[in-house]
């Protein structure tokens, strides 16, 4: 009897998972970043924000009726407008997306970035960047959506010995993107 109940439970769990697994969606996002490298001692003439591109792929995995997990892989051009403060990353956000209704959703999650380029490769910046991401999304159609996100850097990305006056700095950016679900 216990084995039958266990078998029934496992069967129901597998069918429940497979029904959600069939609803997984995949897609791509493209957008613009308005970013800044925020630090106490950056000279005023170098503080101007940078507008860069963000391009990525995602998988949306439903966890229940309103909540889904959205792991992503994206390229993101960040830093400041001044060349010495430009950094580009390969980022992996893990977004928890909560559907408020069919039109709107809110997004929250961690993000890790790996530096893939800096101006003239002077090694002024650390390899890894960690951030917290929050955003809102609007579903335009079943497949097309728009996201507005804010990423706040949690880690110091400055290699202290390579900048004379700048000791601590973190990335901050606002990202507006449009996406398509397959």
């Amino acid at each position: 009897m216990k084995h039958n109940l266990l078998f029934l439970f496992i069967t129901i769990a597998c069918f429940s998972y497979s029904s959600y697994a069939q609803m997984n969606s995949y897609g791509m996002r493209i957008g613009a970043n308005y970013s800044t490298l925020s630090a106490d001692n950056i000279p005023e003439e170098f503080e101007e924000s940078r507008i860069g591109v963000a391009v990525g792929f995602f998988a949306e995995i439903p966890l229940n009726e309103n909540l889904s997990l959205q792991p992503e892989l994206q390229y993101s051009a960040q830093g400041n407008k001044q060349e010495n403060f430009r950094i580009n990353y390969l980022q992996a956000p893990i977004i928890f997306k909560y559907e408020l209704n069919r039109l709107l959703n809110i997004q929250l999650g961690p993000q890790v970035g790996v530096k893939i380029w800096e101006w003239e490769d002077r090694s002024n910046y650390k390899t890894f960047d960690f951030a917290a991401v929050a955003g809102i999304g609007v579903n335009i159609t079943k497949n097309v959506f728009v996201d507005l996100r804010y990423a706040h850097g949690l880690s110091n990305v400055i290699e202290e010995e390579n900048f004379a006056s700048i000791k601590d700095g973190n990335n901050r950016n606002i990202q507006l993107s449009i996406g398509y679900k397959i």
Side-chain angles (χ1 to χ4, degrees), residues 20-36:
Y20 275 120
Q22 291 173 3
M23 295 182 343
N24 289 353
S25 58
Y26 306 91
M28 64 177 291
R29 302 169 66 245
I30 186 166
N33 284 331
Y34 183 74
S35 64
T36 187

Side-chain angles (χ1 to χ4, degrees), residues 97-113:
K97 186 163 41 171
Y98 184 78
E99 300 286 339
L100 297 171
N101 53 44
R102 289 184 180 185
L103 182 65
L104 293 172
N105 63 72
I106 54 175
Q107 306 166 13
L108 188 64
Q111 173 178 280
V112 64

